[in-house]
Amino acid sequence: MKSRRTGWLFVAPALIHLAVFAIGPIAYAVILSFTDWNILKGGPRFAGTGNFARIFDDGQFLRSLMNSFVYTAASVPLGMAVALGVALLVSQRLKGITFFRTVFYLPAVCSQVAIAMVWIYIYLPKKGLVNAILGWMGLPDGTDFLSAPGWAMAALVFMGIWVGLGPRMILYVSGLLNIPESFYEAAQLDGASPWQQFSRVTLPLLSPTTFFVGLTGTIGAMQVFTPIYMMTKGGPEGTTDVVGYHIYSAAWERFQIGEASAMSVILFGVVLLLSLIPMRTVWRQSEGVF
Amino acid sequence: MRRALAYAALIALAAFLVAPFAWMVLVSLHPTRAPIPDYGELIPAHAQWQNYWLVLTNSEVPVARFALNSVFVAVCVVSGQLVVCSLAAYGLARIRFPGADAVFFLFVASMMFAGVVTQIPVYLLMRDLHWLDTYAALVVPGLSSAFNVFLLRQFMVGIPRELDEASQIDGAGHLRIYAQVVMPLCKPALATAAAFTFFAVWTDFFWPLLATNSMRMRTLEVGLSIFKNSYGATNWPLQMAAAVVTLMPMVVVFVLAQRWFVRGIQMSGIK
């Protein structure tokens, strides 16, 4: 009886915080999604499912959702593959390897705004770094990457992989270091080739890491905002208008709180669906720890 | 041979990751309002160190004030989270009480799907409390995170129970066991949580952008975007100098702390 009360007391501050700043707001967002509310004029008015009807009629929201899917589907798997490759490289016993791990992690601790500013510069037509390299290789070098509808999304994906490399790599390194050496020795005794060792030992034993990295990466990528706000403002021609930015502009540029809430509720549902499968796996694992 | 290849790959990658930073510093040393330098002239003939002075003493955009705000908010959020999250983690990991499983599930689940959806309601809450444009709005919503509760709990579960049983026989209550037995043993996990939280708060852009509107309440991250959009709009050297000023504290902290930071991640059971 006593430990019951003590237990709740220990958990209380975090639980209250969770209720006030996560669960309550989610519920409130659902309520707001059924209202019509311009935050500059008066209060919310009940609007039924009007917001949802309008959102789906409009098409621009669905397009932004599609843009987010594209960004996520391109940047997360690619970013994970690159990170795993780098993790394999830096988990070897080599002199000075911590130096390299530090360097690879660096972009992740840096100001996103500053990084966006540098990458705007990198993508400049003519004098940007990318065009300079293309020029050296004798390729056409005049592309304005962030203003070309066919290039802007790819440019953002590439930058996303650059920024996300460090955290993903570190998680993979710790996953790799947790695989007992004896597994590889046994595989070698059975005559497994390096590729077989990788595909039959490393990859399966890394699957919890892969789930974690994939899940957090997906959730983050579906809500990407800062690089869009800084670099393209959703342009050119709406090709980088991702859902996180679309909601931002509905709420804080057009002040349509009800409509923006409806959009955020839909995004919430989508992210929830996307994370359901890996979440079950994570949960099953955490049970074993109890 | 394999070694040489590995080093070649490492160096190439490092160059790829460092090039933008190096470039940022080089451009920041060019004369202000100069045209974008060509590659041949990237290394400035006369380094304009006064650009940094211009950024730091600029009266329209108070960078020093932004930095102070960032430090203050980060320190408050990090210390708050260490207390709030470690208490919850202790309760979930070391006290058997009915409902603990459900509470833990709630934390894990919320970690998976909070985000954009809470922005409007939390903004409205801050507005109704008249906290917008104050430190309260920047600090209070960040005082706990499900991720840190999860991370610290996983670590605490691994500490042998015999330790608190011994203290219990000596008559210690849970609060004492928490403070004197478990917390000291959690140092690596606490350090990791602190570092992660610090990086996250320091680089957060969206919330401070929304929650503040006066120059004196902006954080570095938001301040830098204002600097870019107004004062330094086409002034690349000055923009880059401002970016370097924003990045430097973090780079220094990270390089000094990375050894235990990386080890802490490995020890804290995020697998």
Side-chain angles (χ1 to χ4, degrees), chain B residues 132-155:
Chain B
L132 286 179
D133 212 31
T134 71
Y135 288 118
L138 293 173
V139 171
V140 178
L143 280 182
S144 172
S145 88
F147 179 75
N148 280 341
V149 172
F150 173 75
L151 189 150
L152 294 172
R153 177 199 172 271
Q154 299 305 79
F155 193 86

Side-chain angles (χ1 to χ4, degrees), chain A residues 33-100:
Chain A
S33 71
F34 293 106
T35 67
D36 186 11
W37 186 12
N38 180 323
I39 200 174
L40 299 182
K41 304 175 196 153
R45 267 182 312 119
F46 183 71
T49 54
N51 288 321
F52 293 94
R54 194 165 339 122
I55 289 167
F56 286 110
D57 268 353
D58 176 18
Q60 192 48 48
F61 174 75
L62 289 181
R63 200 169 159 218
S64 75
L65 208 54
M66 257 346 264
N67 286 336
S68 285
F69 280 131
V70 170
Y71 179 81
T72 306
S75 68
V76 176
L78 253 176
M80 286 168 73
V82 173
L84 177 57
V86 178
L88 288 169
L89 197 60
V90 299
S91 60
Q92 302 176 73
R93 276 193 206 92
L94 289 169
K95 259 207 179 111
I97 205 72
T98 40
F99 165 77
F100 287 104

